[in-house]
Amino acid sequence: MTPEDQEETRPLLRPPDSAPRSRRVFLAAFAAALGPLSFGFALGYSSPAIPSLRRSAAPAPRLDSDTASWFGAIVTLGAAAGGVLGGWLVDRAGRQLSLLLCTLPFVTGFAVITAAQDVWMLLGGRLLTGLACGMASLVAPVYISEIAYPEVRGLLGSCVQLMVVIGILLAYLAGWVLEWRWLAVLGCAPPTFMLLFMCCMPETPRFLLTQHKRQEAMAAVQFLWGSEQGWDEPPGGAEHQGFHLAQLRNPGIYKPFVIGISLMAFQQLSGINAVMFYAETIFEEAKFKASLWAGGPSPGSSCLRSSLCTSRVWPLASASSPTGSWPFW
């Protein structure tokens, strides 16, 4: 075999002359990514559920225009609180435990919706799922980025957004055949599997080092990576370095900071959340009927195209970054 042939057959995700990596890191990343999947399902749940709840007959709860609006939007209030709670938990309880805890409001929220006898139970369940969404959207990317070895960090990091889009698509597709109660039952499945899988996964090595548990950190690296090769231990005291406003004077900090905040602001101000929450209602009131697989702008086809684009574009963009991940994260 010529040197050129050897170069062509070398695995793309393994650096030259490195030992084979364990695949358990992919299982751990999948377990954590079930949080974003549940997040996406909760976002997309209201779109097919609202028309179903408007058609429901007594004694089941029924939504009017005002309560339907609250049913879709109240999840954002819970997500805002969940983001604050997740930021507090992730540095105190740890990444793994925070992911385990965020499964509780997911399952409880969908269970409350399933058993709902009035509108207030519906709103309470949506608020709980929103709380879990805020926690999962913060903790899952941190966990995945800290367990992944450099060669696959960008690839695994892209799974977070991909799983959110898949969760939305799953809610839209399941809403075709399931009424709102059974759709809520289905929503309990991803966080339940996440709870089971995460119980078998270790804490991130970086967090263990911040707790001065070096032996446990090395054991976690050995479990996830198969070897300690390529693991760079953070310098002593790095975990105690805080952020100061004076650092924003550094162009290397404030430029990506401003760009990242602007991207998120423009994304939210575009009104995309309202479209996701009320997609089916919007298209029904617009008297628009399109096939899911047609090229028209139906919710399902748009979400499917987003899933396909995300699965292709994100790994390529992540691989192009020198750090193997998005520079703004």
Side-chain angles (χ1 to χ4, degrees), residues 51 55 279-288:
R55 296 189 301 265
E280 189 167 334
T281 302
I282 292 172
F283 284 95
E284 283 183 356
E285 295 187 357
K287 309 300 181 183
F288 182 85

Side-chain angles (χ1 to χ4, degrees), residues 248-324:
L248 290 177
R249 299 175 183 174
N250 184 352
I253 294 180
Y254 77 75
K255 286 183 178 180
F257 178 77
V258 170
I259 293 174
I261 293 296
S262 299
L263 288 174
M264 289 187 289
F266 287 136
Q267 179 196 35
Q268 296 301 310
L269 292 174
S270 69
I272 185 60
N273 285 339
V275 175
M276 289 190 298
F277 294 159
Y278 310 107
E280 189 167 334
T281 302
I282 292 172
F283 284 95
E284 283 183 356
E285 295 187 357
K287 309 300 181 183
F288 182 85
K289 294 182 179 181
S291 171
L292 171 68
W293 307 110
S298 68
S301 63
S302 298
C303 197
L304 178 61
R305 288 194 296 267
S306 298
S307 301
L308 295 176
C309 291
T310 303
S311 65
R312 295 296 183 183
V313 173
W314 273 64
L316 293 175
S318 300
S320 65
S321 171
T323 60

